[in-house]
Amino acid sequence: MIIFDTNAVNLLSPSSPRADLIRKLRQSKHHRVAVPWMVLEEMAAHQARHYPDKHQTVLNTLAKLDAYLPWKPESSLEPLDLERLLDHWRDAYREIFEVIETSDAAIRKAFQREAMALPPTKRVKDHSEGGRDAAIWFSVLEFLDQNPDEHVWFVTDNSTDFGDGVTYKYPMNEDVRDLEDRLHRLENFDQVVSRFTTEVSGADAEAAAAELLKSAAVRDRVAQTAMDLSSLTGFAGLGDGEAAEDWYAWLAQPEVELLSITDVTGHEIENDVWYTANVHWMLYGPAVDEVEAPVGYIACVWPMKVLFSARDDEAPTLLTAEEPSPPDTGDETCMRVLQALKKRVSDIVAGAKRRVHTPVERMLAEQLAPTLAKLDTATNQLALQAAVRQAALINGPAQRIAQEMAARNKLFDTQAQRLARQAAEHLKLIDSPAQRLARKIAADQMALIDNPLHRLARQVADSLPKLDVAADLHQPSGRDEAVDEVEPSDASDPSEALGGGADDAAAHDDHEGE
């Protein structure tokens, strides 16, 4: 465990190389990196300490402006909210460090030490100080006591109060008795780097990082993260006609390709190499406007800083990201990457169209193709295909609908109803604009079930043989062979008709969340 004192990480910027290195150490899982609760509070306080004065300065300026103008100025200032700013910095530092909680007993002992001016506290002129230092000290000792198998490297340049890591003043020498071989001191951040990492830089690092980021797994992770992009004012992008186009969110998961990678820094930690880099991604996919109406396919460039590793079991971590912007049409490399993405999307849509038959299905395939192409489980794919098939019934004449319903023998009264409901439940688990469109279609079809035409069709259906509903709704694609064995006519539970039902869906969702 590496534990930092405040002086070693004071005013640490969350976007700095030092913060990135701490993240690498933690993400590697070879080392734990922490600050005591008292250090967290001091770090947040140091970032927020000037806020009340600056807020008051602005209020004073506004008052002077109010006195000067013959009219009431429209300018105003939000109320002072110091706790909000402190919470912001606490959250920022909790993302970087593990936090060791300081017990009430440790705090009491710390201020007892301060009252007597005993190390690590001290007397300054006519008063004692250092209660916070003592709280940090006792937090470290508590951690050692509660984790008998751990060693601690305490990082502090305050040798005056905390000692040199070898000899300690009374009563600190009593505090560390039997702990001497498990408590070590490092003077500063540079010693942490030297002790725990080996820097990897140069052309080799850039080539290795670029190879990692080009992988399909990383691109898919970026595409999933991009689905969280949304704006009240809109993003600037490039439409298919290479004209500027505003968009507000993705309709479906976009296709992604690595455009550029710069400022690569790598550190080897216990034989694993971890990198940070500034990366630009090209994104291309269907987008929506402010009312979630499709605006067509949009291209944009998304800059971000990422932390990633050569380890197969580690997904990249997005550290910071900027707003997406339009591609540079004058950049040949940029436009070549965009053309490759357009071809990839065109191939996906063409494949989806080949698997459907009616005009409604083809329209939905174009809208949902990027999403359908990324669904690998039998249950979710079947749910979406059920929505598409149900939507296809809207366009047929009423007589044909009745005939099809009759041929299905109570289709809307038994298995199809359950299947439609199951599909709707699965679709509720996803909240992209494309899935909201599919849910609306499923809901509209459920509303049709009880009209007089369908009741008449059910009466006609009584004398006809039943059909295999799952076989009718699902066309095996090679990616989803598990559905081939579904026998809904023998299933007494609707979840069985879906090849595993809610339990399988939950398992899939848990896996996706990881």
Side-chain angles (χ1 to χ4, degrees):
M1 169 68 88
I2 305 167
I3 300 179
F4 284 95
D5 186 17
T6 308
N7 56 65
V9 288
N10 191 32
L11 296 178
L12 177 71
S13 169
S15 60
S16 68
R18 287 190 172 193
D20 292 344
L21 180 56
I22 294 169
R23 293 185 181 99
K24 291 175 185 177
L25 287 167
R26 285 192 69 189
Q27 199 81 3
S28 74
K29 297 182 176 62
H30 294 297
H31 305 289
R32 297 171 66 184
V33 186
V35 292
W37 169 83
M38 191 71 255
V39 171
L40 177 71
E41 290 300 312
E42 287 189 324
M43 293 175 72
H46 291 168
Q47 293 284 9
R49 64 173 59 180
H50 298 300
Y51 171 43
D53 289 341
K54 291 182 181 294
H55 189 275
Q56 188 59 50
T57 298
V58 175
L59 285 178
N60 294 341
T61 301
L62 288 175
K64 291 178 182 178
L65 181 64
D66 186 37
Y68 175 77
L69 293 174
W71 60 82
K72 190 71 174 177
E74 296 181 3
S75 300
S76 62
L77 181 64
E78 65 179 21
L80 178 69
D81 191 347
L82 181 58
E83 196 60 31
R84 178 185 176 187
L85 184 58
L86 288 170
D87 282 341
H88 167 84
W89 286 107
R90 290 176 184 128
D91 291 342
Y93 288 130
R94 282 184 184 275
E95 184 269 328
I96 301 171
F97 299 97
E98 181 181 340
V99 177
I100 299 173
E101 295 301 329
T102 303
S103 70
D104 291 343
I107 293 174
R108 285 196 295 269
K109 286 193 292 185
F111 284 96
Q112 287 170 352
R113 287 279 175 96
E114 184 187 76
M116 295 181 289
L118 291 173
T121 70
K122 57 193 174 186
R123 184 166 297 280
V124 179
K125 295 182 180 179
D126 60 347
H127 68 280
S128 299
E129 62 182 36
R132 285 174 292 162
D133 284 339
I136 294 168
W137 173 250
F138 285 121
S139 296
V140 172
L141 297 180
E142 280 189 340
F143 178 84
L144 284 167
D145 183 60
Q146 294 168 5
N147 298 272
D149 295 330
E150 292 271 8
H151 285 245
V152 166
W153 281 263
F154 184 40
V155 187
T156 179
D157 66 3
N158 184 0
S159 59
T160 302
D161 296 330
F162 289 117
D164 59 7
V166 178
T167 59
Y168 298 92
K169 300 176 183 178
Y170 175 84
M172 293 175 68
N173 60 337
E174 298 289 337
D175 297 335
V176 299
R177 182 168 294 168
D178 299 328
L179 299 175
E180 297 92 339
D181 61 336
R182 296 170 51 214
L183 178 60
H184 318 279
R185 177 175 172 266
L186 298 173
E187 293 183 4
N188 50 47
F189 199 92
D190 290 341
Q191 286 193 1
V192 174
V193 175
S194 300
R195 173 67 178 77
F196 296 106
T197 75
T198 301
E199 185 171 342
V200 180
S201 59
D204 290 343
E206 290 192 10
E211 188 66 25
L212 288 168
L213 292 177
K214 287 179 180 177
S215 70
V218 172
R219 295 200 314 268
D220 191 57
R221 176 66 178 269
V222 174
Q224 292 174 27
T225 305
M227 290 300 292
D228 294 331
L229 283 171
S230 62
S231 171
L232 296 176
T233 56
F235 301 115
L238 194 67
D240 276 336
E242 295 190 0
E245 185 84 49
D246 287 338
W247 61 284
Y248 289 72
W250 296 110
L251 174 64
Q253 194 166 296
E255 289 297 314
V256 175
E257 192 57 72
L258 178 65
L259 185 60
S260 67
I261 178 170
T262 57
D263 302 324
V264 179
T265 302
H267 287 88
E268 185 175 341
I269 304 169
E270 302 288 343
N271 299 320
D272 291 329
V273 181
W274 288 79
Y275 300 94
T276 52
N278 291 323
V279 180
H280 286 71
W281 302 98
M282 178 74 77
L283 277 61
Y284 180 72
V288 296
D289 60 19
E290 66 273 22
V291 295
E292 294 192 349
V295 295
Y297 278 78
I298 296 293
C300 65
V301 176
W302 193 19
M304 64 175 63
K305 187 174 187 178
V306 294
L307 167 66
F308 54 99
S309 168
R311 283 168 36 168
D312 294 336
D313 60 339
E314 289 293 341
T317 300
L318 190 158
L319 300 179
T320 59
E322 302 175 27
E323 283 197 357
S325 59
D328 182 359
T329 56
D331 186 327
E332 291 185 6
T333 301
C334 183
M335 298 311 291
R336 187 166 58 250
V337 171
L338 176 56
Q339 290 305 316
L341 279 182
K342 287 184 176 181
K343 184 179 185 307
R344 188 187 304 170
V345 170
S346 177
D347 291 343
I348 292 173
V349 173
K353 285 182 178 179
R354 286 194 296 270
R355 293 192 295 270
V356 296
H357 308 288
T358 70
V360 173
E361 289 177 305
R362 284 194 291 274
M363 180 274 291
L364 288 171
E366 290 188 18
Q367 296 291 332
L368 301 177
T371 299
L372 286 168
K374 297 178 185 297
L375 291 176
D376 292 321
T377 67
T379 302
N380 280 353
Q381 192 177 46
L382 180 58
L384 281 174
Q385 290 188 7
V388 171
R389 287 283 185 177
Q390 290 287 344
L393 297 177
I394 297 173
N395 279 353
Q399 183 178 4
R400 193 185 68 213
I401 295 177
Q403 291 170 348
E404 290 182 4
M405 291 169 59
R408 283 172 171 80
N409 187 15
K410 300 183 180 179
L411 175 65
F412 289 93
D413 189 39
T414 55
Q415 308 221 19
Q417 286 188 39
R418 294 197 295 270
L419 186 57
R421 285 193 293 269
Q422 189 76 19
E425 289 303 314
H426 283 291
L427 291 169
K428 288 178 182 177
L429 300 176
I430 312 172
D431 199 30
S432 72
Q435 262 52 340
R436 285 194 287 274
L437 174 62
R439 286 202 301 271
K440 184 177 185 302
I441 292 169
D444 290 343
Q445 292 308 301
M446 286 295 294
L448 295 175
I449 292 174
D450 287 325
N451 68 26
L453 177 62
H454 291 134
R455 287 196 293 272
L456 176 61
R458 286 199 297 271
Q459 293 176 7
V460 176
D462 287 341
S463 61
L464 297 176
K466 293 184 179 180
L467 297 180
D468 188 336
V469 177
D472 181 67
L473 292 178
H474 180 59
Q475 302 297 322
S477 62
R479 301 174 60 194
D480 195 6
E481 297 177 356
V483 181
D484 293 346
E485 299 177 2
V486 173
E487 297 292 346
S489 61
D490 296 330
S492 59
D493 183 78
S495 63
E496 296 178 14
L498 285 168
D503 291 340
D504 286 347
H508 169 71
D509 290 342
D510 289 343
H511 174 72
E512 289 291 88
E514 293 172 1

